[in-house]
């Protein structure tokens, strides 16, 4: 029985690629140094899968930034502003598209479906001249073959590539991106032909957009694309991979009727209803790559349950045509549990990271072939039973408090307009008030202090002293820049979710459980294994300390319950909304303690609210209802004079703007600049927003420093659709990934732009 892995984490077990990328970007190492690190990681990944007995091993899933940007490079779809003149795309052009450079901004970045991974959005139009400009897929196949590993090259499918793109600036928004299919398919044919010539026997096309709500003409595009590719694909086994949700019956019918396709990869973890479609109609002689091992969570697979599912499918598709696979790429999980030296044995027994999931896939494949590893299955069954019965998982008091939430929608008693009036009397802010989103640059010295404190190399007194000094530096800088509402810079936090999870019960933490978010940015998601509560205050000391250093308002900085949920590895033994309500009650306690401590502005970040939105529209209302309700629970008990902010970033918010309004925050700051100010279009279309709002005025994920004039121009665009008395001026997101040499001039220009507009507004009265 055969086994398959959809994709594998690329950062390395100790984030080797992250450090190599950052060293290259900082011009501390060469392109050759970066390529050497990357080649070493690829080699170890391929060898690991081969040694584990995996038959279908992927290649071209390794990326220096993201796989969609790799496809853009392959197709030569470089926007003109990057000055690319043809030929093989090198690092300069590639990373300029991803990160921007001194003279031009980066391309838009957005979430990859409903994950915390991101991709660079292709900018396309009728005048794009496509050309075969990156041979990466072929080169990596040959590289693996030279190492003795015959891989399955993976490409983003042509239809998904177009459906994930956007019309370039200046192109009509109504432009049909699918009309470009005849222009990109010749490039795909060149790549396929080269792979065949190099000896490839299988090829995998990732077409994840098949799980979305697609219209008939979009489904027809899949049929047309693969019919066009059929003759070129002749002689190859072709796998179409989908993931993250069920397929509709129409999408499933389209998939199984595609020309020239040998196999279908289906997510049977998040797409359990698809099993019914398989059982009712599966094409004879085709392969099913059954994704029964979860690629998006870290819980050990219930091997007995998965084996039962596979045996049921075997009766439908045939023994020789069933391949055991992961539900999606393992990119979304941590790398290897072996590197976790501080997790206790009980919790560790409940988990499986990418390396362990590879073993699970192969164990299931062997069991299906009648070669069950009895000891492995028995150990797995014991761990499953231990998790169900452990007293660490269940807290009756927390469960009762969450159950008692039913029957109220938890809204503040006064409407937002009256609250803003009360807050203005207390805060006395100028028109177009300036603020930042929370974090300030995390310097090498600051990281050293936190690392040494965690390792017990410095005392708590020395740690507190160092953090206070950092806060004072950040406060003084903001006062010098004349920012209106200050932040303390979050020097005590490595990560906005990890910091809170470490102080909440029901959470566990890893040492090396890193997961890529975008580029070199990695996060270490907490593991929510049990019921959640807050044993003691988490941020009050630091926020109060910062407030004591200034007379200006100091924001208390919290992460909201939906974001903590969506950026964690969440327990899978109860509905997600139940866990979210528990977290909301814990944050509510913290909000009320901050208010008692004299903090009059409290930001509860919900950066990840949009990314948790289910992929199917029929599931949206239920999710948004409990997600928005969870946010309101956190601040329902504060006074009218306490101003509640929230922040959201890097998603398309226009389709959920009414739910954002329903959150009933006093002020929302939201990403805007990198997405070509798409957010503003919703207000141009007539949506009325009465609370404070701060669409980001510059992109913090690029090292580029915007001028005051450029920022003023952005603010003017906002003033065309928003009232000046509700508009705030702020960056797109937190500043932790930037350097002070970039932050100081950018913020200085931001404040200068706000002051210029204030003067113009005053003179216009």
């Amino acid at each position: 029985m055969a086994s398959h892995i959809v994709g594998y984490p690329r950062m390395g077990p100790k984030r080797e690629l992250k450090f190599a990328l950052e060293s290259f970007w900082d011009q501390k190492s060469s392109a050759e140094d970066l390529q050497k690190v990357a080649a070493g990681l690829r080699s170890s990944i391929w060898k690991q899968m081969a040694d584990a007995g995996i038959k279908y091993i992927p290649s071209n899933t390794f990326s220096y930034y993201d796989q969609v940007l790799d496809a853009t490079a392959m197709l030569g779809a470089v926007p003109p502003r990057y000055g690319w003149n043809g030929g093989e795309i090198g690092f300069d052009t590639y990373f300029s598209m991803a990160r921007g450079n001194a003279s031009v901004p980066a391309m838009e970045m957005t979430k990859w479906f409903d994950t915390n991974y991101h991709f660079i959005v292709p900018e396309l139009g009728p005048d794009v001249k496509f050309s075969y400009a990156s041979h990466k897929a072929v080169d990596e196949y040959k590289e693996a073959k030279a190492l003795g590993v015959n891989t399955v090259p993976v490409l983003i499918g042509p239809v998904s590539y177009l459906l994930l793109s956007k019309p370039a600036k200046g192109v009509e928004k109504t432009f049909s991106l699918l009309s470009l299919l005849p222009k990109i398919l010749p490039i795909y044919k060149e790549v396929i032909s080269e792979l065949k010539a190099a000896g490839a026997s299988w090829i995998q096309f990732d077409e994840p957009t098949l799980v979305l709500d697609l219209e008939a003409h979009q489904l027809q595009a899949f049929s047309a694309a693969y019919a066009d590719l059929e003759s070129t694909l002749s002689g190859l086994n072709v796998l179409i991979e989908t993931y993250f949700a069920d397929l509709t019956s129409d999408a499933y019918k389209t998939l199984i009727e595609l020309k020239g396709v040998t196999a279908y990869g289906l997510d049977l973890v998040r797409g359990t209803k698809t099993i019914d479609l398989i059982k009712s109609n599966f094409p004879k002689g085709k392969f099913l790559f059954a994704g029964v091992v979860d690629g998006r969570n870290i819980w050990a697979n219930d091997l007995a349950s998965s084996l039962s599912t596979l045996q049921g499918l075997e009766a439908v598709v045939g023994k020789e045509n069933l391949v055991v696979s992961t539900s999606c790429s393992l990119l979304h999980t941590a790398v290897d549990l072996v590197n976790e030296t501080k997790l206790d044995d009980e919790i560790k027994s409940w988990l499986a990271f990418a390396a362990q999931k590879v073993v699970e896939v192969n164990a299931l494949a062997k069991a299906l072939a009648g070669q069950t590893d009895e000891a492995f299955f028995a150990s797995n069954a014991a761990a499953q039973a231990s998790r169900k019965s452990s007293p660490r998982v269940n807290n009756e008091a927390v469960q009762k408090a969450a159950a008692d939430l039913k029957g109220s929608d938890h809204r503040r008693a006064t409407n937002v307009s009256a609250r803003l009036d009360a807050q203005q009397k207390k805060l006395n802010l100028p028109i177009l008030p300036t603020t930042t989103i929370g974090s300030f640059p995390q310097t090498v010295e600051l990281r050293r202090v936190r690392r040494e404190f965690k390792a017990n190399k410095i005392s708590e007194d020395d740690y507190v002293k160092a953090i206070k000094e950092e806060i004072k530096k950040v406060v003084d800088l903001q006062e010098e820049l004349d920012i209106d509402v200050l932040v303390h810079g979050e020097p005590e936090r490595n990560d906005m979710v990890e910091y809170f999870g470490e102080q909440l019960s029901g959470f566990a933490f890893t040492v090396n459980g890193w997961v890529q978010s975008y580029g070199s940015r990695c996060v270490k998601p907490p593991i929510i294994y049990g019921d959640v509560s807050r044993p003691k205050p988490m941020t009050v000391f630091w926020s109060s300390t910062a407030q004591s250093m200034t007379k200006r308002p100091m924001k208390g900085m919290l992460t909201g319950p939906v974001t903590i949920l969506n950026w964690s590895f969440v327990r899978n033994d109860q509905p997600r909304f139940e866990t979210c309500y528990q977290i909301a009650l814990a944050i509510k306690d913290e909000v009320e303690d901050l208010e008692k401590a004299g903090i009059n502005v409290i930001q509860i970040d919900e950066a990840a609210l949009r990314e948790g939105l289910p992929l199917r529209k029929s599931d949206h209302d239920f999710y948004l209802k409990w997600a928005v309700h969870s946010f309101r629970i956190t601040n329902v008990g504060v006074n009218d004079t306490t101003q509640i902010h929230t922040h959201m970033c890097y998603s398309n918010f226009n389709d959920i703007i009414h739910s954002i309004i329903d959150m009933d925050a006093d002020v929302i700051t939201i990403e805007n600049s990198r997405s070509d100010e798409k957010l503003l279009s919703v207000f141009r279309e007539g949506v009325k927003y009465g609370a404070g709002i701060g669409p980001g005025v510059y992109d913090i994920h690029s090292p580029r420093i915007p001028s005051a004039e450029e920022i003023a121009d952005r603010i003017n665009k906002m003033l065309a659709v928003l009232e000046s008395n509700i508009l705030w001026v702020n960056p797109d997101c937190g500043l932790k990934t930037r350097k002070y040499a970039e932050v100081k001039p950018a913020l200085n220009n931001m404040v200068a732009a706000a002051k210029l507009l204030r003067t113009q507004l005053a003179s216009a009265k």
Side-chain angles (χ1 to χ4, degrees):
M1 192 59 61
S3 51
H4 166 251
I5 303 298
V6 177
Y8 201 81
R10 53 184 78 123
M11 278 291 134
K14 300 284 180 70
R15 296 181 291 163
E16 291 88 344
L17 182 60
K18 168 191 171 66
F19 299 121
L21 282 167
E22 291 173 355
S23 176
F24 174 69
W25 292 337
D26 290 341
Q27 299 182 332
K28 294 178 180 175
S29 61
S30 67
E32 290 74 21
D33 294 330
L34 175 57
Q35 289 164 334
K36 184 177 179 182
V37 170
L41 289 170
R42 287 193 296 269
S43 171
S44 66
I45 290 167
W46 292 326
K47 183 176 186 302
Q48 177 188 351
M49 284 192 252
D51 290 348
I54 301 299
K55 180 175 181 180
Y56 299 111
I57 296 171
S59 61
N60 198 41
T61 58
F62 186 92
S63 177
Y64 289 104
Y65 213 87
D66 81 75
Q67 68 271 34
V68 180
L69 184 62
D70 290 350
T72 295
M74 181 185 83
L75 295 167
V78 181
R81 66 181 177 274
Y82 298 107
W84 176 66
N85 294 314
E88 188 81 2
I89 287 176
F91 281 156
D92 282 353
T93 301
Y94 181 86
F95 288 127
S96 290
M97 289 192 287
R99 307 177 70 240
N101 58 42
S103 56
V104 290
M107 294 165 71
E108 179 185 352
M109 179 169 69
T110 196
K111 300 285 186 183
W112 177 245
F113 293 81
D114 58 346
T115 74
N116 186 34
Y117 183 67
H118 300 68
F119 71 97
I120 301 297
V121 182
E123 302 173 11
L124 305 178
D127 299 327
V128 176
K129 300 287 189 285
F130 295 100
S131 63
Y132 187 11
S134 169
H135 292 67
K136 176 178 175 293
V138 177
D139 291 344
E140 287 189 15
Y141 173 78
K142 290 178 177 177
E143 182 184 330
K145 192 174 181 183
L147 295 168
V149 182
N150 193 25
T151 59
V152 179
V154 179
L155 300 175
I156 294 287
V159 183
S160 286
Y161 177 79
L162 293 176
L163 290 177
L164 292 168
S165 302
K166 69 173 186 177
K169 206 165 188 175
V171 174
E172 288 292 326
K173 298 300 179 189
T174 55
F175 173 70
S176 170
L177 293 160
L178 290 174
S179 69
L180 298 172
L181 205 49
K183 294 187 176 182
I184 68 169
L185 288 178
I187 315 299
Y188 274 88
K189 290 176 183 178
E190 286 188 71
V191 180
I192 293 163
S193 297
E194 284 196 9
L195 286 168
K196 282 169 70 173
S201 57
W202 279 82
I203 187 168
Q204 175 179 319
F205 291 100
D206 280 8
E207 292 281 16
T209 56
L210 270 168
V211 305
L212 302 178
D213 293 312
L214 298 178
E215 297 173 12
H217 77 279
Q218 294 171 315
L219 289 172
Q220 176 56 33
F222 287 94
S223 303
Y226 288 92
D228 193 325
L229 292 173
E230 184 180 13
S231 61
T232 310
L233 289 167
S234 177
L236 278 173
N237 291 295
V238 179
L239 166 63
I240 305 294
E241 187 69 47
T242 72
Y243 34 78
F244 298 153
D246 286 298
L247 291 171
T248 64
S249 56
D250 287 343
Y252 180 75
K253 184 173 184 294
T254 299
L255 174 67
I256 63 173
E257 292 178 356
L258 293 178
K259 302 288 187 185
V261 173
T262 317
Y264 316 104
L266 300 171
D267 182 339
L268 302 183
V269 175
R270 289 172 181 253
T272 52
K273 294 175 189 171
T274 303
I275 293 174
D276 295 332
L277 295 172
I278 296 168
K279 289 181 176 178
S280 67
N281 180 24
F282 192 81
K284 192 170 182 182
K286 302 290 186 180
F287 288 83
L288 172 64
F289 282 55
V292 293
V293 173
D294 192 350
R296 285 184 58 176
N297 217 326
I298 41 66
W299 303 108
N301 188 272
D302 185 338
L303 295 177
S305 175
S306 292
L307 185 58
S308 175
T309 297
L310 289 164
Q311 287 166 339
L313 292 168
E314 185 180 57
V316 177
V317 307
K319 194 176 191 72
E320 298 307 313
N321 293 337
L322 184 61
V323 178
V324 182
S325 184
T326 54
S327 65
C328 62
S329 172
L330 297 175
L331 171 71
H332 308 288
T333 191
V335 179
D336 195 343
L337 199 54
V338 168
N339 297 317
E340 299 309 321
T341 53
K342 295 189 177 177
L343 281 172
D344 67 69
D345 289 343
E346 182 180 39
I347 289 179
K348 207 169 178 179
S349 74
W350 302 342
L351 307 178
F353 291 178
Q356 288 69 46
K357 289 177 187 290
V358 169
V359 173
E360 288 178 339
V361 166
N362 201 52
L364 285 166
K366 290 175 75 173
L368 207 53
Q371 302 166 21
T372 305
D373 184 333
E374 299 291 353
F376 188 66
F377 269 66
S379 173
N380 175 266
Q384 298 292 324
S386 155
R387 187 174 162 218
K388 283 176 185 172
S389 61
S390 174
R392 302 170 70 176
V393 172
N394 302 299
N395 182 323
E396 286 185 15
V398 172
Q399 291 170 7
K400 182 179 184 305
D404 288 345
L405 293 171
K406 291 169 186 170
S408 169
D409 62 0
H410 297 88
R411 292 182 186 276
R412 292 170 77 178
T414 311
N415 69 43
V416 69
S417 174
R419 297 198 309 262
L420 288 173
D421 287 344
Q423 292 155 14
Q424 179 58 16
K425 284 175 186 170
K426 186 163 193 172
L427 299 173
N428 194 29
L429 297 172
I431 201 161
L432 304 180
T434 54
T435 190
T436 64
I437 303 306
S439 60
F440 264 64
Q442 301 262 313
T443 62
V444 172
E445 174 62 18
L446 181 56
R447 293 179 191 277
R448 182 193 64 76
V449 167
R450 281 202 309 263
R451 189 169 58 247
E452 290 186 353
F453 178 59
K454 276 199 165 186
N456 295 316
K457 292 182 178 177
I458 61 172
S459 68
E460 184 172 0
D461 286 347
D462 287 342
Y463 171 73
V464 169
K465 182 184 177 189
I467 297 298
K468 281 184 175 179
E469 287 172 357
E470 184 68 21
I471 291 172
K472 184 72 167 72
K473 182 175 82 173
V474 169
V475 170
D476 288 349
L477 173 61
Q478 291 171 93
E479 289 194 327
E480 176 190 327
L481 292 166
D482 205 16
I483 291 172
D484 300 304
V485 175
L486 311 190
V487 298
H488 75 291
E490 304 176 10
E492 78 283 14
R493 309 178 195 182
N494 179 59
D495 177 87
M496 62 187 284
V497 173
E498 181 182 2
Y499 176 79
F500 290 97
E502 284 177 336
Q503 301 182 77
L504 294 168
S505 64
F507 282 74
F509 289 86
T510 63
V511 175
N512 286 299
W514 297 100
V515 179
Q516 186 182 14
S517 180
Y518 62 85
S520 69
R521 170 85 170 129
C522 297
V523 293
K524 197 160 43 129
I527 298 166
I528 305 177
Y529 66 83
D531 292 327
V532 177
S533 61
R534 185 197 73 146
K536 62 182 181 180
M538 302 180 285
T539 66
V540 175
F541 173 75
W542 296 118
S543 292
S544 301
T545 298
Q547 184 63 80
S548 71
M549 297 175 180
T550 181
K551 291 188 167 118
R552 301 186 185 209
M554 175 64 63
K555 282 197 280 192
M557 300 300 305
L558 305 175
T559 303
V562 185
T563 296
I564 290 176
L565 184 88
N566 285 337
W567 285 357
S568 297
F569 290 124
V570 183
R571 57 190 295 190
N572 58 359
D573 59 346
Q574 71 177 15
R576 288 172 71 88
F577 70 85
E578 289 185 14
T579 303
C580 197
Y581 282 156
Q582 293 178 0
I583 302 169
L585 287 170
I587 299 299
K588 179 177 185 287
D589 291 343
E590 186 72 12
V591 168
E592 291 170 6
D593 281 348
L594 281 168
E595 184 183 55
K596 285 174 193 167
I599 303 301
N600 297 315
V601 182
I602 302 171
Q603 182 170 308
I604 307 165
D605 283 346
E606 283 296 12
L609 187 141
R610 173 61 176 78
E611 84 182 37
L613 192 69
L615 298 177
R616 303 293 270 287
K617 288 176 185 170
S618 58
D619 299 322
H620 285 191
D621 285 349
F622 179 67
Y623 167 78
L624 289 168
K625 186 175 180 181
W626 64 254
V628 169
H629 186 193
S630 296
F631 177 82
R632 289 201 306 262
I633 288 167
T634 65
N635 59 85
V636 68
V638 300
N639 296 318
D640 287 354
T641 50
T642 297
Q643 190 167 84
I644 299 296
H645 289 222
T646 191
H647 172 67
M648 296 180 172
C649 55
Y650 297 104
S651 285
N652 181 6
F653 299 105
N654 294 19
D655 55 348
I656 64 162
I657 191 67
H658 293 289
S659 294
I660 291 173
I661 293 170
D662 198 39
M663 291 170 73
D664 199 27
D666 297 310
V667 178
I668 178 169
T669 52
I670 198 161
E671 183 273 327
N672 172 66
S673 64
R674 188 160 184 173
S675 57
D676 289 334
E677 300 163 344
K678 270 191 300 195
L679 174 70
L680 298 186
S681 66
V682 80
F683 301 112
R684 292 189 192 102
E685 290 159 11
V687 170
K688 298 298 180 190
Y689 192 76
I693 183 164
V697 297
Y698 79 91
D699 175 20
I700 66 87
H701 289 292
S702 169
R704 183 174 168 271
I705 298 163
S707 67
E709 293 75 21
E710 180 183 332
I711 294 173
D713 182 56
R714 286 191 184 277
I715 298 170
N716 268 320
K717 288 179 182 176
M718 297 170 192
L719 287 169
V721 291
L722 294 164
E723 296 293 329
S724 59
N725 65 329
I726 64 168
L727 187 61
W728 285 64
V729 177
N730 47 263
D732 263 347
C733 207
L735 304 169
K736 69 185 294 181
T737 61
R738 299 269 55 89
K739 297 179 173 63
Y740 273 105
E742 300 155 351
V743 165
K744 288 178 183 178
L747 290 181
N748 187 62
N749 291 347
M750 183 187 83
V751 173
K755 288 180 176 179
L756 174 67
L757 269 295
R758 286 174 197 161
T759 303
Q760 291 177 1
L761 288 169
S763 63
K765 284 184 180 177

